[in-house]
Amino acid sequence: MSNNTVMVVGGGIAGLTAAWELAGQKIKVELVEKTCFLGGHSIGFTCKATDQCRQCGACSVEQMLANVVNEPLINIHLRTEIKDFKKGKKITAVLDKSDVDISNTGLLKGFSQHNSPMYVAGDKAASMPDGAVAIEKLGSTGEVKVDAVILATGYSPFDPKLKATFGYGEKKNIITGLDLENILRENSTLVRPSDGKEPEKVAFIQCVGSRDERLGNLWCSKICCPTAMRMASLIKHKKEEAEVSIFYIDIQNTPKEFPMFYENVKNEISFKRAIPVDIYQIENDRLTLRYMPEENSTPLYEEFDLIVLSVGITPGADTKPLSEKFEVALDEYGFLSNSGEGVFTAGTAKGPGTIFDTIADSEKAAHETMQYLGVI
Amino acid sequence: MIDINVSKEVLVIGTGSTGLAASEKIAALGYKVTSIPFASDNDAGAVNLERVLGCTGDFKADLTQKGKRTTTTFGAIVAAPEYTKEAMNKEYGLKLDDKVVTQTKFDEMLETDAGIKGLVNGKGSSVAFVSGYGQESCPENAEKILKAAQKVQSLDQCNAYIFVKNVKVGAPGLEKLFTSARHDGVLCFKPEIKPEFNQSSKELVIKSFEPVIREEMEFSPDYIVIEESLKPNEKTNALKTILRIDTDFDGFYQSNNVHRFPVMTNRLGVYVAHTTGDATNIALRIKDLLGNGTIQAPEDQGVVDPEKCVLCLTCYRCCPHGAIFWDNEAAIISSVACQGCGICASECPMDAIQIKGFADTSMKENVDKAVDSKKAIVVFCCENSALPAYNTAKILGNDLPENIRVVHIPCAGKVDVEFIWQSLVNGAAGVVVAACHEGNCKSEKGNTYASWRFGEIAKRLETIGINQGKIGFINIASNMAGDFTKKINEFAQKL
């Protein structure tokens, strides 16, 4: 047993992986998560297998979460943030309960059987399901002393309201890629938010908030093209009559065997090289999408039941304050740079990456931390 | 658990930057590393790996050097494969010459004063880069093209043109590079259809439909730079056979299976390094595996009955983890390498293999117990996928049929034909085999074996005139309780 303790900030797949690797070398871990659940964005992802596994990694997140919650060397602090931080011989972090907005429904639910508690209830909760815990009972306060820190605070999905012409949040049945993940994870069939019906015609719009010079977002988020293709194929698999279109700038398909997958899905999915101009609501909660097709200069109007905005990865909302607190530099776009003294960084807090990029990067960050501590 | 001694020596195959990084990180943990070149055939003095016997923790590797053979024991093996770069000129109907060059050759030109002089040449040159029509391009190639194009554009009176199907910017810094190249004046065309090329001694011609101006354009560049692709080669193919590791559809290491990423293979103790970053991950995996030379492994995970074994080697061939070897009497299952999937036990024609916790006798008892009424629907649930999905469905209070009876199996590959048959003979209303999705099996092909056996049962039922609707085969992901509930209910309703 090593005498070292490492604080891992962030309980998404990056933080989970780093914590698990450290515990594997008998290092104690204080895992601090701001929200009420571990698993981050990706624990809400759906399996995208059709007849075949599509290597999206959603099940790997579930597995890692199971590993972590069953590991006694990892001490989990849900609904907790770092209020203060002092470097010295030991690093001192002051923990405090984080603000969680629960006002909407009064009840929050985890996505995984390993999310414990499964339900978190606020004052306004109508009922307390089995296994529910009152939110006041969650959260740690006080000081922890650690020998190193790994920042694994992840990303914020791009806020699609900044693209006003799309009308996310105003028009019905316009959802983000993350919304789509969560709907399928929960329901196993695709349903429209407005009426719970299965959509017949679905469009994906790529590069929402990525590759956008005007917004200063000069990066490709890397994950959205493979995800949209997997999702489109999944929708077709679940409902053969469904028509799916993907509006794109350039298709990115880096995962293994994806060139072949891309060729195959071209047969069932309509790829359109255009970024739509705007979207109008029409009858039956449907939507008309206007775009300039590649072939001629006449705008085309096409109707859909559901439109999915493939929102990109942007620097996490906490990244800037954390970078100041922990003295880790930001890159020109606001993602965390590699590492500081005794403070290491992992995962999408550093920039876009897939689940497997994140796992690999977090293993590397854990290795660097062990080297710093002299454990290996 | 029993203590097993393992070798603390590691063989690293590959002496490029990735292989060297792996050697360094592993050696830093106190393991003795033997580093040999990946492609050593061209070099008579180099060490070559000829054969690997044995198993995880105790690999016996035959190494030859100048015709001399030595056998060394290694606890683990790392492969840092070196694939072959292949010019794609044939895809464009072009011959390589002074003016039609590969990306590698062109990058070399840009590195030398003579090359730059040749391009500037008093009146400047126009250079066309083509990519993405012979193969899907990739961020690595895109970066090379963009950097070279930007360099060309910066030279006196030179212009760069890029013809590409999709600009692959899905890697750090590439969107910025692409934007700045365009701002510098590099023109990028993205025709959907492959442009036509004409190559004569006088000139090069590219004909293409330009999607932005929507016109046929004809263009005569001074140079055409051709993309290259990475291909598996004789050496990567040979080594995969020696190491008994699976590749993906394209022949690259390792199989396209989420349980392998980033550095694992189907064989415990054999790792793959593709990037220098992989080196640290491999070092951790080797530390987990070999520790200080004594490791704990489950006792009798898989046991071969020497009385029954006839050394037909079916188990050796079907074991996805390369965990089985043999001596003169019987097959032997390595306690360290065995993952307990049970494919060998179900395939063994002599019924000579038993898996701990899932021996034939206890499996049959479980099946008997499961068929507690004529209404029972027996569901064989793989512990890696359907079982956790079922457990979650129960925790979430999903509406499952009351009459389902779950039988825990280590992998769908452990479902014998006779277990399904026994369920039916005992009078079960229905039998379901719930396996992982194709490509997601921890044991690579356990679900495939199960589906073959299932097909066999279906044929038998058809022959004797029993409704095939009584049996079902479903694929479930571990995190999809809703899918499990839906598919089981669909099956139950059809009965």
Side-chain angles (χ1 to χ4, degrees):
Chain A
M1 171 71 74
S2 123
N3 284 321
N4 292 293
T5 305
V6 174
M7 180 167 72
V8 175
V9 186
I13 183 61
L16 293 174
T17 307
W20 172 244
E21 286 289 349
L22 292 165
Q25 301 305 324
K26 307 290 175 226
I27 296 168
K28 278 178 276 176
V29 178
E30 302 288 343
L31 177 58
V32 179
E33 165 58 39
K34 185 178 69 170
T35 72
C36 300
F37 303 101
L38 291 179
H41 296 297
S42 55
I43 197 64
F45 287 6
T46 182
C47 167
K48 295 167 201 74
T50 51
D51 288 330
Q52 280 180 36
C53 171
R54 287 286 164 227
Q55 288 79 29
C56 71
C59 59
S60 302
V61 179
E62 182 84 27
Q63 181 60 53
M64 191 57 80
L65 179 57
N67 292 344
V68 166
V69 297
N70 291 310
E71 171 55 60
L73 283 177
I74 302 173
N75 189 22
I76 298 165
H77 305 272
L78 295 174
R79 196 211 163 186
T80 300
E81 60 189 3
I82 319 289
K83 200 166 132 195
D84 208 1
F85 172 79
K86 277 183 294 256
K87 279 185 185 173
K89 200 174 167 206
K90 280 253 180 186
I91 296 169
T92 308
V94 182
L95 306 182
D96 200 5
K97 295 188 178 198
S98 64
D99 291 328
V100 176
D101 183 12
I102 205 163
S103 55
N104 262 349
T105 55
L107 196 65
L108 299 175
K109 179 173 168 289
F111 280 98
S112 162
Q113 63 160 314
H114 304 293
N115 279 137
S116 178
M118 185 78 141
Y119 295 91
V120 174
D123 299 339
K124 290 177 186 159
S127 65
M128 289 284 273
D130 282 351
V133 67
I135 191 160
E136 305 90 74
K137 292 199 176 152
L138 283 184
S140 301
T141 53
E143 280 186 4
V144 288
K145 288 197 187 305
V146 296
D147 302 284
V149 176
I150 296 180
L151 297 178
T153 47
Y155 65 94
S156 288
F158 175 75
D159 177 6
K161 287 178 185 157
L162 296 173
K163 294 280 214 180
T165 56
F166 291 153
Y168 177 81
E170 293 163 18
K171 295 163 196 146
K172 289 176 186 168
N173 298 326
I174 300 181
I175 63 173
T176 67
L178 278 178
D179 297 332
L180 177 63
E181 293 271 12
N182 295 346
I183 289 171
L184 284 167
R185 175 82 147 101
E186 291 279 277
N187 299 292
S188 119
T189 34
L190 177 56
V191 290
R192 299 206 301 182
S194 77
D195 54 10
K197 281 187 188 152
E198 268 190 87
E200 304 270 336
K201 274 196 83 181
V202 182
F204 287 80
I205 302 177
Q206 298 306 102
C207 297
V208 178
S210 311
R211 303 191 67 188
D212 193 324
E213 202 176 355
R214 200 172 52 83
L215 290 168
N217 293 359
L218 269 185
W219 63 84
C220 161
S221 291
K222 186 179 177 182
I223 56 155
C224 339
C225 282
T227 300
M229 283 194 272
R230 289 175 178 128
M231 284 290 199
S233 173
L234 179 63
I235 292 168
K236 288 289 287 180
H237 180 73
K238 286 178 183 285
K239 193 178 170 77
E240 214 178 317
E241 327 75 271
E243 290 174 40
V244 188
S245 301
I246 297 179
F247 292 86
Y248 72 101
I249 303 175
D250 293 293
I251 290 293
Q252 310 297 326
N253 52 355
T254 40
K256 262 178 181 283
E257 294 178 5
F258 248 62
M260 186 173 61
F261 177 54
Y262 178 31
E263 281 309 310
N264 290 342
V265 291
K266 272 183 197 168
N267 299 326
E268 52 177 17
I269 309 296
S270 162
F271 284 86
K272 293 170 177 141
R273 182 171 248 152
I275 290 301
V277 186
D278 39 27
I279 301 171
Y280 311 97
Q281 193 94 58
I282 53 169
E283 70 281 3
N284 299 327
D285 298 340
R286 302 186 82 221
L287 298 144
T288 295
L289 183 149
R290 183 167 72 95
Y291 70 100
M292 288 291 186
E294 217 177 0
E295 305 79 54
N296 58 54
S297 52
T298 320
L300 278 185
Y301 295 82
E302 200 172 343
E303 293 177 8
F304 292 96
D305 300 310
L306 182 74
I307 293 177
V308 184
L309 306 178
S310 292
V311 293
I313 283 175
T314 65
D318 306 316
T319 306
K320 194 162 186 293
L322 277 171
S323 81
E324 285 160 8
K325 208 171 275 176
F326 290 91
E327 294 169 11
V328 177
L330 295 177
D331 73 9
E332 59 188 309
Y333 306 117
F335 291 106
L336 288 177
S337 69
N338 236 357
S339 295
E341 180 63 17
V343 181
F344 301 87
T345 54
T348 54
K350 286 153 72 179
T354 64
I355 287 172
F356 296 113
D357 292 340
T358 303
I359 289 174
D361 189 56
S362 305
E363 286 172 350
K364 194 162 161 269
H367 185 277
E368 282 167 6
T369 309
M370 292 170 203
Q371 266 183 331
Y372 168 79
L373 296 173
V375 176
I376 57 170
Chain B
M1 296 295 239
I2 44 166
D3 283 345
I4 293 178
N5 291 327
V6 288
S7 163
K8 286 181 73 184
E9 293 195 30
V10 178
L11 176 66
V12 177
I13 307 157
T15 44
S17 55
T18 307
L20 290 178
S23 295
E24 186 209 320
K25 298 288 180 198
I26 297 162
L29 297 180
Y31 300 107
K32 187 183 170 197
V33 173
T34 301
S35 163
I36 64 169
F38 191 85
S40 58
D41 310 69
N42 306 329
D43 184 351
V47 183
N48 196 32
L49 176 68
E50 291 214 328
R51 189 171 73 160
V52 176
L53 297 176
C55 237
T56 315
D58 187 33
F59 291 110
K60 309 276 186 217
D62 287 353
L63 298 169
T64 53
Q65 187 174 25
K66 289 184 180 166
K68 203 180 134 211
R69 178 191 297 244
T70 51
T71 302
T72 313
T73 304
F74 295 102
I77 300 175
V78 178
E82 289 159 22
Y83 301 111
T84 304
K85 241 185 225 172
E86 201 176 282
M88 302 291 283
N89 53 299
K90 282 180 190 149
E91 298 284 344
Y92 300 93
L94 291 166
K95 268 189 210 141
L96 296 176
D97 59 17
D98 292 351
K99 301 287 182 183
V100 177
V101 296
T102 62
Q103 185 72 47
T104 305
K105 177 111 184 275
F106 191 75
D107 286 344
E108 284 165 11
M109 271 171 72
L110 288 177
E111 288 294 313
T112 63
D113 291 341
I116 301 266
K117 245 184 208 165
L119 282 170
V120 176
N121 195 20
K123 57 178 177 48
S125 296
S126 55
V127 181
F129 296 83
V130 289
S131 121
Y133 298 95
Q135 62 170 357
E136 272 295 316
S137 190
C138 59
E140 293 76 17
N141 283 359
E143 183 170 6
K144 285 179 195 157
I145 291 170
L146 290 167
K147 281 186 172 160
Q150 203 167 21
K151 179 84 193 277
V152 167
Q153 197 66 29
S154 73
L155 300 174
D156 188 32
Q157 299 186 65
C158 290
N159 288 300
Y161 304 83
I162 298 173
F163 291 82
V164 62
K165 206 164 184 177
N166 287 293
V167 186
K168 304 288 183 183
V169 288
L174 292 194
E175 177 66 13
K176 188 185 176 195
L177 180 63
F178 179 48
T179 308
S180 78
R182 285 195 333 256
H183 289 185
D184 289 353
V186 173
L187 287 179
C188 182
F189 303 103
K190 297 196 269 191
E192 192 52 38
I193 299 160
K194 179 159 73 180
E196 280 176 40
F197 295 86
N198 219 321
Q199 180 179 23
S200 69
S201 54
K202 278 186 197 151
E203 63 171 357
L204 297 167
V205 180
I206 303 179
K207 274 192 220 166
S208 161
F209 181 79
E210 212 300 292
V212 177
I213 54 173
R214 297 190 186 90
E215 270 177 24
E216 284 288 340
M217 60 176 271
E218 204 173 295
F219 167 63
S220 299
D222 298 310
Y223 290 89
I224 293 178
V225 182
I226 299 283
E227 65 179 323
E228 291 158 299
S229 74
L230 278 187
K231 291 267 162 69
N233 51 44
E234 260 178 47
K235 180 72 187 175
T236 55
N237 291 338
L239 191 69
K240 118 191 150 179
T241 310
I242 292 172
L243 296 177
R244 298 174 63 206
I245 55 172
D246 293 330
T247 60
D248 68 10
F249 183 83
D250 300 310
F252 296 111
Y253 297 1
Q254 64 275 62
S255 58
N256 190 15
N257 182 324
V258 297
H259 302 293
R260 310 288 174 244
F261 303 151
V263 297
M264 311 280 277
T265 68
N266 50 302
R267 292 190 87 187
L268 188 64
V270 180
Y271 304 94
V272 177
H274 280 115
T275 67
T276 50
D278 288 342
T280 51
N281 295 341
I282 289 174
L284 283 177
R285 296 287 74 80
I286 287 180
K287 189 160 193 303
D288 284 347
L289 177 69
L290 304 179
N292 59 10
T294 308
I295 60 170
Q296 289 211 312
E299 199 177 2
D300 299 337
Q301 176 84 324
V303 179
V304 183
D305 181 348
E307 300 291 311
K308 289 185 180 169
C309 176
V310 294
L311 279 175
C312 69
L313 302 189
T314 300
C315 55
Y316 166 79
R317 294 187 188 109
C318 72
C319 175
H321 305 290
I324 301 180
F325 52 105
W326 66 90
D327 62 13
N328 287 335
E329 287 180 25
I332 300 165
I333 300 175
S334 155
S335 292
V336 182
C338 175
Q339 307 291 303
C341 64
I343 294 175
C344 58
S346 293
E347 286 298 303
C348 176
M350 305 309 291
D351 276 339
I353 302 177
Q354 300 298 333
I355 300 297
K356 195 173 199 175
F358 301 96
D360 287 341
T361 44
S362 71
M363 283 298 299
K364 281 173 189 162
E365 276 171 30
N366 292 344
V367 170
D368 281 340
K369 246 186 268 170
V371 190
D372 55 1
S373 79
K374 297 280 172 210
K375 283 184 187 161
I377 300 173
V378 181
V379 190
F380 291 96
C381 285
C382 163
E383 70 179 20
N384 299 308
S385 53
L387 194 63
Y390 164 70
N391 287 332
T392 310
K394 272 199 307 187
I395 290 170
L396 294 176
N398 283 4
D399 218 355
L400 286 163
E402 274 174 21
N403 49 337
I404 63 164
R405 301 287 177 266
V406 166
V407 177
H408 175 175
I409 43 172
C411 168
K414 183 68 195 84
V415 180
D416 293 13
V417 167
E418 57 179 316
F419 299 157
I420 303 176
W421 201 246
Q422 187 193 343
S423 310
L424 293 170
V425 171
N426 287 3
V431 183
V432 179
V433 178
C436 306
H437 288 281
E438 191 187 326
N440 193 281
C441 176
K442 249 187 182 168
S443 300
E444 299 287 338
K445 291 187 274 293
N447 47 3
T448 313
Y449 280 105
S451 70
W452 288 338
R453 293 181 204 135
F454 180 84
E456 207 47 51
I457 299 267
K459 263 191 252 165
R460 283 197 212 171
L461 290 182
E462 193 184 0
T463 313
I464 56 177
I466 292 177
N467 176 12
Q468 289 173 60
K470 276 173 88 78
I471 57 170
F473 191 92
I474 60 173
N475 299 107
I476 293 291
S478 59
N479 58 334
M480 297 304 282
D483 268 358
F484 181 85
T485 308
K486 191 174 166 218
K487 287 177 180 176
I488 289 293
N489 276 314
E490 279 169 5
F491 176 81
Q493 274 153 25
K494 270 190 203 157
L495 278 179

